[in-house]
């Protein structure tokens, strides 16, 4: 036997995937495959591979006689401990050890951690039956309501990524997210990122790195794409958190941007052939989505882009309760955002002193304006004007736009209320609506943007608002049915009950109270409330997980009064 210096067990060739689960018997059937690298002239009859796994009191072991460098087997695990998304259950992870033996003696050892779970994406896009369209994640056979944020590069200088990633992922946990979408305009993150997602219970939606443009379709380029995809899939496929491979970001949507004369989405060989085959061959137990949003040819040719079950809801960026948002048909929104000013002290770090305030949208502001402007031919600074217009939509003329502190606060309130409204619309709409991934958690460089945390880690108001709205058990007000209903949602897998109340914070009067009882993974309508003619600040309180929780709702049509809102905030914070 020739012992090599390098590991003889190849990590990228180890594959651990749950084929079947029996939740009643608490058993799992696992497909396990491996790859080895050692002297091919050695005596095969003397080689064996021992696979061991342990998670608490759940353990398994199997010895396999080897007949070739690569192979697969099925392992039955009794008393299986499942991995669940955050809020639904425990994030159980098995410590796995592969031991390569020659004549009974250990030659090499490989260790890793894996989770046992199944993932299914239920998707249906029917132009003629939009009401019954579907886009839903099932984990371990259970429908999961997903709510979280898009992941973009964490720093414009990738040498800074390693130190920023753990701190930033903690924000997903603090804001009670259960999903993270790695956007196709970024980079492929390393194992450390996925290790943390495994531990936090974050469902990872992983785009392949193609975004917002058409890519070459010639054989030379396609071969490069196939090679890259195979490397990435084999590298990351054993992470329990990784739930979905998506072919690209918004390339199907280029059919809409370029008009009906362009090539239909199905002719994209990258997403429809190359990436699909790479996933099917190397990771067959994980779902694949061709594009986000995925637009079948029938919908593209009918220009029915607003009829897909999964949508990116950007729109005109006007009032956040306008019809574009309030009457959207999406079952799942994988992108939706709203602007909010960074902290004043952060602005002082990336702007000249005389440019922090003075002439609104000055040349330095324009340089630091985020992304697309809302106008194909508009200046970059157009997005900053949209931000000020959104404040006017919500507060009318009640904000002193010449006062930077008032404007920053008003902008952050506007962003916070908008994103809170979006999340609660989708959560209160369960089970018909199945998820929302808002844009985005944090900036990768100093800028004016949709992020709820600026580049310097200063949290905007939306951070705290969303943490309350995304609790596994939460109270909120739904406007979608035409009436105004206090709704209790439960994303846990057990029945939840407790006391609740709704208080007019201006008067201190409790307008309604009682006890809630919500079935596992369900919701309950607790009370209908009349529409207020003026601005009414409601404080919702409830008991959950041994603690008193709170949320709020502004009852009344915009424009709201900025000073009245600030007074209510002061009472709410107490």
């Amino acid at each position: 036997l020739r012992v090599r210096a390098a590991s003889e067990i190849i990590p990228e060739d180890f594959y651990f995937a749950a084929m079947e689960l029996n939740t009643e018997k608490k058993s799992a059937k696992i497909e396990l495959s491996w790859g080895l690298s050692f002297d091919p002239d050695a005596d095969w009859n003397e080689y064996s591979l021992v696979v061991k796994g342990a998670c608490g009191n759940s353990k398994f072991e199997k010895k396999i006689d080897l007949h070739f460098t690569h192979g697969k087997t099925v392992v039955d695990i009794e008393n299986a401990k499942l991995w669940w998304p955050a809020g639904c259950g425990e994030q159980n992870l098995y410590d796995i050890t592969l031991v390569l033996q020659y004549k009974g003696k250990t030659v090499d050892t490989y260790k890793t951690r894996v989770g046992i779970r199944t993932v299914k994406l239920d998707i249906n896009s029917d132009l003629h039956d939009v009401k019954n369209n579907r886009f839903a994640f099932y984990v371990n056979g259970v429908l999961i309501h997903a709510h979280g944020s898009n992941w973009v590069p964490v720093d414009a200088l990738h040498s800074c990524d390693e130190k920023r990633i753990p701190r930033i992922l903690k924000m997903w946990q603090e804001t009670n997210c259960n999903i993270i979408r790695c956007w196709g305009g970024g980079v492929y993150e390393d194992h450390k990122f996925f290790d943390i997602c495994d531990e936090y219970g974050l469902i990872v939606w992983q785009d392949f790195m193609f975004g917002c443009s058409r890519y070459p379709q010639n054989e030379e380029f396609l071969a490069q794409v196939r090679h890259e995809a195979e490397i990435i899939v084999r590298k990351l496929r054993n992470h329990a958190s990784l739930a979905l491979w998506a072919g690209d970001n918004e390339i199907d949507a280029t059919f809409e941007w370029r008009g009906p004369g362009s090539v239909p989405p199905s002719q994209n060989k990258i997403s429809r052939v190359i990436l699909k085959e790479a996933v099917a061959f190397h990771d067959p137990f994980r779902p694949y989505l061709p594009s986000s949003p995925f637009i079948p040819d029938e919908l593209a040719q009918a220009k029915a882009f607003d009829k897909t079950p999964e949508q990116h809801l950007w729109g005109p960026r006007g009032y956040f309760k306008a019809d574009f948002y309030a009457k959207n048909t999406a079952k799942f929104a994988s992108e939706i955002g709203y602007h909010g000013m960074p902290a004043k002290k952060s602005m002082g770090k990336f702007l000249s002193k005389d440019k922090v305030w003075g002439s609104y949208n000055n040349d330095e502001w324009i340089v630091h304006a985020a992304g697309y402007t809302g106008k194909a031919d508009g200046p970059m600074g157009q997005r900053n004007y949209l931000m000020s217009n959104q404040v006017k939509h919500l507060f009318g003329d009640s904000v002193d736009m010449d006062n930077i502190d008032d404007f920053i606060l008003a902008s952050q309130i506007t962003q916070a209320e908008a994103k809170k409204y979006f999340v609660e619309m989708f959560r209160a709409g369960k089970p018909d609506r199945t998820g929302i991934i808002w844009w985005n958690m944090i900036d990768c460089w100093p800028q004016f943007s949709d992020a709820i945390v600026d580049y310097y880690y200063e949290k905007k108001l939306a951070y705290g608002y969303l943490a309350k709205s995304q609790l596994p058990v939460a109270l909120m007000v739904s406007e979608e049915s035409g009436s105004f209903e206090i709704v209790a949602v439960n994303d846990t897998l057990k029945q939840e009950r407790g006391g609740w109340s709704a208080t007019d914070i201006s008067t201190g009067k409790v307008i309604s109270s009682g006890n809630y009882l919500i079935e596992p993974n369900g919701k309950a309508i607790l009370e209908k409330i009349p529409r207020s003619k003026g601005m009414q600040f409601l404080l919702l309180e409830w008991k959950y997980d041994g603690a008193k929780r709170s949320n709020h709702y502004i009852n009344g049509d915009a424009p709201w009064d900025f000073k009245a809102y600030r007074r209510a905030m002061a009472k709410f914070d107490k």
Side-chain angles (χ1 to χ4, degrees):
L1 174 67
R2 302 172 191 169
V3 180
R4 298 170 182 243
S7 173
E8 300 194 67
I9 298 176
I10 306 173
E12 289 77 12
D13 282 337
F14 172 65
Y15 184 46
F16 183 101
M19 303 165 60
E20 298 176 14
L21 299 179
N22 187 321
T23 53
E24 289 185 5
K25 295 183 178 181
K26 296 183 179 180
S27 63
K29 190 178 291 293
I30 305 296
E31 179 178 293
L32 191 149
S33 60
W34 64 87
L36 306 169
S37 175
F38 51 79
D39 189 349
D41 297 325
D43 186 355
W44 287 100
N45 294 324
E46 300 294 345
Y47 277 107
S48 61
L49 186 68
V50 179
V51 183
K52 303 177 182 179
C55 178
N57 63 357
S58 176
K59 298 180 180 181
F60 66 89
E61 181 174 333
K62 185 170 185 177
K63 186 174 182 178
I64 305 152
D65 293 328
L66 298 178
H67 304 288
F68 195 60
T69 56
H70 290 64
K72 68 172 60 176
T73 189
V74 174
V75 179
D76 292 310
I77 301 176
E78 302 300 325
N79 187 31
K81 292 184 177 295
L82 302 184
W83 182 95
W84 289 97
C88 297
E90 298 297 321
Q91 288 74 59
N92 294 305
L93 294 169
Y94 280 75
D95 292 309
I96 301 293
T97 303
L98 274 68
V99 180
L100 177 62
Q101 296 181 340
Y102 180 71
K103 293 184 178 181
K105 295 184 178 180
T106 298
V107 176
D108 196 10
T109 301
Y110 171 65
K111 294 184 177 181
T112 188
R113 299 183 81 199
V114 299
I116 297 176
R117 91 290 176 271
T118 59
V119 179
K120 176 186 176 183
L121 178 66
D122 182 18
I123 181 170
N124 181 65
S125 301
D126 189 337
L127 174 62
H128 307 293
D129 190 15
V130 175
K131 184 178 180 181
N132 290 314
N133 276 346
R134 300 182 305 280
F135 189 98
F137 286 99
Y138 286 79
V139 178
N140 302 329
V142 176
L143 174 63
I144 301 297
H145 191 284
H147 39 273
S149 183
N150 281 270
W151 177 269
V152 301
V154 297
D155 202 286
L157 302 176
H158 291 301
S159 60
C160 301
D161 288 1
E162 186 175 359
K163 65 181 180 182
R164 284 174 66 87
I165 284 175
R167 183 174 180 180
I168 292 173
L169 280 176
K170 186 67 175 176
M171 297 173 183
W172 263 259
Q173 188 180 54
E174 290 176 349
T175 53
N176 297 302
C177 297
N178 64 11
I179 193 168
I180 183 169
R181 174 178 177 248
C182 294
W183 169 66
V187 297
Y188 296 109
E189 300 297 350
D190 207 345
H191 287 295
K192 182 61 177 178
F193 169 90
F194 288 90
D195 288 341
I196 297 173
C197 292
D198 291 343
E199 293 169 5
Y200 286 175
L202 294 174
I203 301 169
V204 179
W205 167 326
Q206 178 66 59
D207 282 0
F208 286 98
M209 292 302 126
F210 300 92
C212 307
S213 184
R214 297 289 176 85
Y215 290 81
Q217 301 286 305
N218 61 71
E219 291 304 316
E220 181 180 5
F221 186 77
L222 294 178
Q224 293 179 22
V225 170
R226 185 185 298 276
H227 180 62
E228 177 180 298
E230 289 174 345
I231 291 172
I232 294 299
V233 171
R234 291 172 64 199
K235 175 181 178 179
L236 301 177
R237 62 186 177 178
N238 287 317
H239 287 280
S241 55
L242 180 56
L244 175 69
W245 295 104
D248 60 60
N249 174 77
E250 296 183 352
I251 294 181
D252 277 15
T254 62
F255 185 88
E256 176 186 13
W257 306 342
R258 298 191 180 187
S262 62
V263 176
S266 64
Q267 298 304 304
N268 181 1
K269 294 179 183 178
I270 294 174
S271 64
R272 288 343 192 250
V273 179
I274 304 300
L275 300 177
K276 180 180 180 181
E277 289 180 352
V279 172
F281 188 81
H282 295 285
D283 196 10
F285 296 100
R286 189 171 274 110
Y288 173 76
L289 179 72
S291 184
S292 177
F294 169 48
I295 306 175
D297 284 358
E298 181 187 27
L299 273 70
Q301 290 161 359
K303 300 182 182 180
F305 304 101
D306 61 343
K307 302 296 190 295
T308 59
E310 175 234 347
Q311 297 177 27
H312 293 186
L313 293 170
W314 290 109
R317 302 294 196 95
Y319 179 43
F320 61 81
K321 292 187 181 182
D323 284 354
F324 175 82
Y325 299 108
K327 296 183 179 180
N328 77 83
T329 62
K331 308 295 183 180
F332 195 113
S334 45
E335 287 187 19
I336 184 170
Y338 215 75
H339 307 108
M341 285 286 288
K344 185 179 178 181
K345 66 179 181 179
S346 296
M347 293 170 64
K349 294 177 181 179
F350 67 88
L351 298 173
S352 302
K353 187 175 181 179
D354 62 330
K355 298 289 187 177
V356 171
W357 199 242
S359 60
Y360 181 78
N361 204 35
N362 57 61
D363 56 344
E364 291 189 18
W365 277 48
I366 292 172
V367 169
H368 291 272
Y372 179 60
T373 67
K375 286 187 176 181
D377 58 348
M380 288 296 289
Q382 175 68 17
R383 182 162 285 192
N384 292 335
Y385 283 120
L386 287 175
M387 187 162 54
S388 64
N389 288 338
Q390 287 161 354
V391 170
K392 293 176 182 176
H393 277 301
L394 190 61
F395 290 115
D397 297 325
S398 65
V399 178
D400 181 0
M401 302 293 279
D402 293 325
N403 183 311
I404 184 173
D405 297 307
D406 282 0
F407 178 69
I408 289 173
L409 178 58
S411 175
Q412 290 196 8
I413 291 171
T414 304
Q415 179 193 47
E417 289 288 351
K419 289 192 170 180
K420 168 181 156 62
Y421 172 76
F422 299 152
V423 167
E424 293 178 358
M425 174 196 301
F426 277 81
R427 289 199 73 191
K430 66 182 295 187
D432 184 55
R433 293 190 190 265
T434 52
I436 178 169
I437 310 177
W438 37 270
W439 193 281
N440 65 311
M441 185 69 75
I442 187 169
D443 291 322
C444 67
W445 80 302
Q447 60 178 324
F448 303 93
S449 74
D450 304 84
I452 66 170
V453 183
D454 69 36
Y455 176 74
Y456 301 101
Y457 299 106
E458 294 296 327
K459 297 170 183 175
K460 304 177 187 178
L461 201 63
Y463 193 91
Y465 280 28
L466 290 175
K468 297 174 185 289
S469 294
Q470 295 187 156
L471 279 164
V473 175
L475 265 64
M476 57 199 63
V477 174
S478 172
E479 302 180 5
E480 197 163 8
S481 67
S483 60
F484 300 90
E485 301 170 335
I486 299 176
V487 177
V489 297
N490 176 18
D491 289 343
T492 76
L493 302 186
K494 61 182 186 294
Q495 189 183 74
E496 295 285 352
R497 65 178 69 214
W500 71 274
S501 64
T503 303
D504 184 332
I505 204 167
S506 299
T507 64
K509 180 181 178 181
V510 176
I511 64 170
S512 189
S513 64
N515 294 303
Y516 68 81
L517 174 65
I518 328 172
E519 294 304 315
N521 207 14
K523 73 175 183 181
I525 298 173
L526 304 180
E527 188 75 83
K528 291 189 177 183
I529 58 175
R531 187 60 164 164
S532 175
K533 294 182 180 179
M535 178 179 166
Q536 182 187 40
F537 199 112
L538 293 182
L539 175 63
L540 305 175
E541 295 178 295
W542 68 100
K543 289 291 291 293
Y544 162 61
D545 197 26
K548 190 175 184 179
R549 312 290 182 163
S550 63
N551 195 7
H552 76 272
Y553 172 72
I554 309 298
N555 191 351
D557 295 323
W560 301 338
D561 181 79
F562 180 58
K563 291 181 179 179
Y565 190 103
R566 293 186 67 172
R567 288 194 297 270
M569 276 184 69
K571 293 182 179 180
F572 178 63
D573 290 340
K574 291 179 181 179

